Amino acid sequence: MKIPFSILAFQLAFYYWNGIFAMSYTKMFGFYEISSVQIGNYVNVLSTILLGSLNGKSKLECFKTCSLNSDCLLIQFDSSKTCSFYKSIQSPNQSNSYTYFYKKIENKGIILEYTSQVVQDSKAVGSLVITNNVFYVKPFTFIDHLNLSNLDLSKNVITRLDENTFYNLSNLISLYMGTNKIQTINYKAFVPLINLETLYLNFNLFDYLNPNVFKGLKNLVTLYLNANSLKKIELGLFKDLKSLSFLNLNRNFLDKITLEFSSLISLKSLYLKFNQISVIEECSFRNMSKLIGLYLDNNKLKSINMSTFEGLDSLTELYMSNNLINSIDSGTFANLNKIVYLDISKNNLSYFENNLFSNLTSLLELRLSFNQLKTIDLDNQINLQILDLSYNQYNYFKKGLVSLKFLDLSYNPISFVNYSVIDSYITYPQLENLTLIGCQLVQIDSNSLKSLVNLKELYIQLNALNYLNESIFFGLNYLARVTMDKSLYGSKNFSTFYPNINFILI
């Protein structure tokens, strides 16, 4: 049936204005979107008090309902269009399908101003800590604090920073504003802080930063912006931060990495964990040749290509666990020959291109657990010391990794070990820890461990083993701990044969 144009227009207008009213309602009654990890800053998390829920109602209706209940402090929305109302919540859901809104209650905190006793008594100090439930700092409050180098206003309830909040603090080196309720920051708030080196703005409520807010902070070295609600990095936000070495943007709502990061030419550590990042724009790290650590865990990345990490010539640590990665181009790591630690665990990888890791000659630790891998090319990893391949699909593993000290093959479908997992004809392997938990093992040959003369710990519990030859540990003079099933231990008196080994029975 064809819908008359007038009715269709009315329906579209209804949904449009309902959305507009809902957004206005959040501001009118003081609702602010927060992440699940921020909830503990605003409501009690020691117990759960559920006040009720609505199913199939609009967000506008949910905001109205909560605003009329004085006990309602938190609204949880889920993907099934259900909103739940809480006074307190013990275990907020961490899933991306849930969103939370906090209802701001009128602050009863104090106003900090020039005439405040704590301000008057501290004019000559070099360091000042004020945690007196401050909710507003008046402009020019610190006008006479010429010697102040460290100012800590964290753990208050401050909601905004104005243009002259830090007027005359040109000697300030460190500013701590974390764990407040800051929603807005005037773009001139930090202008007087020409010598600032450390700035904490973590655990607040702002979802936007003016692109000029850090203008002039050319000496800033450390910046914490984690646990806020930032959805994007505005054009030019980092352009003046030429000395910045450390940047923490964990636990925001960023959905992509853009060219804005390429202006951070001195950055050494970049934390972007627990965002919504699904895209890394080409050349985003182009000028970041000093970056040492890049932390991208718990995002929504699906693929990594040859240009993703272009420019990161000094990178030594790369974390990408808990993403959705299903493919990595063969040349992705071609220029990352200084990588020491690489974590790509908990993704959707089923294979790697040959020679993917061939240029990673400095690699010491590789973590690939919780994927669907069956094979891997590690022929060039002669320096590798730690390898975690647990929770994959290997039914056979034998590599010439003579420097390897830790190998975890747990929960792979390995039925037989009648060979040495480390293939070495020239020197004895350095392996110290071998973990084969839950591998469906039915047999371990008595000679399969003979070459592992440096082995110290062996874990073989939760398998289908019903027999081990009593000679299996002969010659392993450093072996100090073996964890196995009780039933397997009961079949032999291993303690008599090996009094120096601690047998842990599961």
Side-chain angles (χ1 to χ4, degrees):
M1 181 179 68
K2 187 174 182 181
I3 301 175
F5 176 77
S6 58
I7 296 177
L8 182 61
F10 173 79
Q11 289 176 334
L12 291 173
F14 172 80
Y15 289 123
Y16 173 78
W17 287 110
N18 186 56
I20 295 297
F21 290 148
M23 288 188 289
S24 300
Y25 211 79
T26 62
K27 294 181 179 180
M28 185 186 306
F29 287 90
F31 287 98
Y32 298 93
E33 185 175 2
I34 59 176
S35 67
S36 58
V37 297
Q38 294 175 296
I39 290 175
N41 295 328
Y42 308 107
V43 302
N44 182 4
V45 292
L46 298 178
S47 63
T48 295
I49 301 178
L50 177 63
L51 303 175
S53 62
L54 292 176
N55 187 28
K57 300 294 184 179
S58 67
K59 281 193 173 183
L60 175 60
E61 193 66 32
C62 295
F63 289 130
K64 284 182 180 178
T65 302
C66 184
S67 66
L68 295 174
N69 187 336
S70 60
D71 288 333
C72 181
L73 298 177
L74 186 73
I75 308 178
Q76 173 188 279
F77 292 96
D78 64 26
S79 56
S80 62
K81 295 185 179 180
T82 297
C83 57
S84 301
F85 309 107
Y86 292 91
K87 182 177 181 179
S88 62
I89 184 169
Q90 187 172 16
S91 301
N93 199 300
Q94 303 287 330
S95 170
N96 293 331
S97 59
Y98 288 84
T99 55
Y100 294 91
F101 284 82
Y102 161 71
K103 184 173 73 175
K104 176 188 171 187
I105 305 300
E106 187 64 31
N107 284 305
K108 303 300 181 182
I110 67 170
I111 296 176
L112 194 66
E113 55 187 332
Y114 179 77
T115 59
S116 299
Q117 190 66 47
V118 66
V119 175
Q120 290 297 308
D121 292 345
S122 60
K123 290 182 179 180
V125 302
S127 295
L128 178 60
V129 179
I130 301 176
T131 53
N132 296 333
N133 201 33
V134 176
F135 80 91
Y136 180 58
V137 182
K138 280 190 173 182
F140 309 107
T141 293
F142 303 107
I143 192 171
D144 291 336
H145 285 67
L146 303 180
N147 298 321
L148 198 61
S149 60
N150 297 287
L151 176 60
D152 188 346
L153 294 172
S154 62
K155 298 179 182 178
N156 284 289
V157 288
I158 298 168
T159 58
R160 74 176 197 260
L161 299 177
D162 292 333
E163 178 178 347
N164 292 304
T165 299
F166 306 112
Y167 183 82
N168 222 26
L169 295 181
S170 59
N171 291 316
L172 199 69
I173 302 297
S174 302
L175 175 60
Y176 302 89
M177 300 299 303
T179 317
N180 276 283
K181 297 182 180 180
I182 299 171
Q183 300 151 26
T184 59
I185 303 176
N186 185 282
Y187 76 97
K188 293 184 178 180
F190 304 127
V191 167
L193 310 181
I194 56 175
N195 289 303
L196 194 68
E197 295 179 6
T198 302
L199 176 58
Y200 281 73
L201 291 167
N202 52 324
F203 289 95
N204 279 289
L205 289 171
F206 51 82
D207 58 7
Y208 168 81
L209 287 174
N210 185 286
N212 293 310
V213 72
F214 300 129
K215 186 176 182 180
L217 300 185
K218 295 180 180 180
N219 294 306
L220 194 66
V221 175
T222 303
L223 177 58
Y224 283 84
L225 296 171
N226 51 301
N228 281 286
S229 299
L230 289 171
K231 295 178 174 63
K232 63 177 292 189
I233 301 299
E234 299 297 329
L235 183 65
L237 181 64
F238 300 138
K239 65 182 178 181
D240 277 10
L241 304 183
K242 302 303 182 184
S243 299
L244 196 69
S245 176
F246 178 96
L247 175 59
N248 191 335
L249 279 161
N250 289 348
R251 298 186 183 277
N252 278 280
F253 296 95
L254 301 175
D255 60 2
K256 61 183 176 180
I257 299 175
T258 67
L259 284 169
E260 290 311 303
F261 288 90
S262 66
S263 62
L264 298 171
I265 58 175
S266 298
L267 201 67
K268 293 182 179 180
S269 298
L270 176 57
Y271 288 82
L272 289 161
K273 298 181 180 182
F274 292 96
N275 277 277
Q276 310 290 322
I277 298 168
S278 60
V279 175
I280 300 177
E281 291 185 356
E282 189 172 344
C283 300
S284 290
F285 306 119
R286 180 176 49 194
N287 300 318
M288 300 173 67
S289 60
K290 294 183 179 180
L291 195 71
I292 294 174
L294 178 58
Y295 308 91
L296 294 165
D297 312 77
N298 297 87
N299 279 286
K300 296 182 177 180
L301 293 169
K302 291 184 178 180
S303 62
I304 304 295
N305 59 50
M306 293 179 63
S307 65
T308 300
F309 303 119
E310 183 181 343
L312 301 182
D313 301 333
S314 299
L315 199 67
T316 62
E317 296 186 1
L318 178 57
Y319 292 72
M320 297 187 290
S321 66
N322 275 292
N323 276 278
L324 305 171
I325 301 171
N326 54 40
S327 67
I328 301 178
D329 286 356
S330 59
T332 297
F333 304 129
N335 297 315
L336 303 182
N337 55 12
K338 293 183 180 179
I339 287 280
V340 172
Y341 185 102
L342 178 59
D343 187 352
I344 325 177
S345 58
K346 297 182 180 179
N347 278 284
N348 296 326
L349 292 160
S350 58
Y351 75 98
F352 289 128
E353 298 284 350
N354 287 336
N355 301 319
L356 177 65
F357 304 109
S358 61
N359 285 351
L360 301 183
T361 53
S362 300
L363 192 64
L364 297 180
E365 186 167 348
L366 177 60
R367 297 193 176 273
L368 297 168
S369 60
F370 291 93
N371 282 287
Q372 293 93 44
L373 298 167
K374 293 181 179 180
T375 61
I376 187 170
D377 179 5
L378 294 173
D379 290 344
N380 290 350
Q381 306 312 309
I382 57 174
N383 296 312
L384 192 66
Q385 295 184 6
I386 298 174
L387 177 59
D388 185 356
L389 290 170
S390 59
Y391 292 92
N392 277 283
Q393 297 298 317
Y394 290 93
N395 55 32
Y396 177 88
F397 183 88
K398 186 174 185 177
K399 299 290 180 183
L401 303 172
V402 294
S403 297
L404 201 66
K405 293 185 177 181
F406 175 96
L407 174 60
D408 192 347
L409 293 169
S410 298
Y411 296 98
N412 280 277
I414 301 172
S415 298
F416 299 92
V417 177
N418 50 14
Y419 53 88
S420 176
V421 293
I422 305 299
D423 189 9
S424 175
Y425 299 102
I426 301 174
T427 182
Y428 284 115
Q430 297 299 307
L431 193 67
E432 297 178 359
N433 184 308
L434 176 59
T435 305
L436 294 163
I437 301 171
C439 288
Q440 306 173 28
L441 277 169
V442 296
Q443 180 187 352
I444 300 179
D445 188 83
S446 58
N447 294 314
S448 60
L449 304 178
K450 295 300 182 186
S451 66
L452 305 180
V453 296
N454 291 295
L455 196 65
K456 295 179 180 179
E457 297 183 16
L458 176 65
Y459 299 86
I460 54 174
Q461 69 267 31
L462 302 178
N463 281 290
L465 293 166
N466 54 30
Y467 173 80
L468 279 181
N469 190 293
E470 61 268 19
S471 67
I472 191 168
F473 304 127
F474 281 178
L476 304 182
N477 299 327
Y478 296 104
L479 189 61
R481 177 188 179 112
V482 175
T483 303
M484 63 169 63
D485 295 319
K486 288 181 180 179
S487 58
L488 183 60
Y489 180 82
S491 66
K492 298 284 183 182
N493 191 4
F494 286 105
S495 293
T496 301
F497 288 104
Y498 308 102
N500 295 325
I501 298 177
N502 181 19
F503 289 93
I504 309 297
L505 308 181
I506 303 299

